[in-house]
Amino acid sequence: MTAIRLLLVDDDPLVRAGLALMMGGAGDIEIVGEGSDGDEVEALVDRTHPDVVLMDIRMPSVDGLTATERLRARADAPQVVVLTTFHADEQVLHALRAGAAGFVLKDTPPAEIVAAVRRVAAGDPVLSPAVTRQLMAHAAGPRADTRQARARDRLAALNDREREVAVAVGRGLANAEIATGLYMSVATVKTHVSRILAKLGLNNRVQIALLAYDAGLLEE
């Protein structure tokens, strides 16, 4: 089995050392590079060709949110898991809207961080219960009616089956779980997800989930 190529980006060398030790114990993950600031990320990606970037938010020159946005705007960009010590609502939303496929706190148990990298590499988003609660609070917060109307207008481009898949993605279900719940093959689920991304101009499953939350579909 091909190892998952992982790039670590954090301004604290002790944190990078700890992550390297943690990830090094996973036989299916290969650390291909390390960076200490967001302004290094694109050059490192060009040089190391990672599948996943584990990215800190707070860095001295270019923060992880800006670096994520720049990276995800590129063709064939790697997936990004944002790693941080705090979980303010706006930081979570900014990271996910920038194109991050997951948001993990640094005090998350090591096995769960390793699992997050594996899951993102497999094409599934990482939405922890804490992040899910924040998304739900955001969907019900200020300007919720305006966001809901705009989100529903965008989702009108989907057919009924694509809409069902979008809701399932919003619930954080993996492809296999969606396939079982909607009585279709995993390959068909992947095809629907690709069509949803193309129709809505999104770049990953987490952004589908955000749109589903904004539209209020997960409350129906």
Side-chain angles (χ1 to χ4, degrees), residues 2-3 11 20 25 28-29 50 63 73 84 102 105 109 112 129 147 155 164 166 169 178 180-181 184 186 201-202 217:
T2 304
D11 65 332
D28 58 341
I29 297 176
D63 64 74
T84 186
L105 299 179
E112 292 183 22
R147 278 198 305 273
L155 290 170
E164 289 178 333
V169 169
I178 297 172
T180 298
M184 61 177 71
V186 171
L202 305 175
L217 297 186

Side-chain angles (χ1 to χ4, degrees), residues 110-126:
E112 292 183 22
I113 296 179
V114 172
V117 170
R118 288 174 176 149
R119 185 168 177 177
V120 165
D124 291 327
V126 177

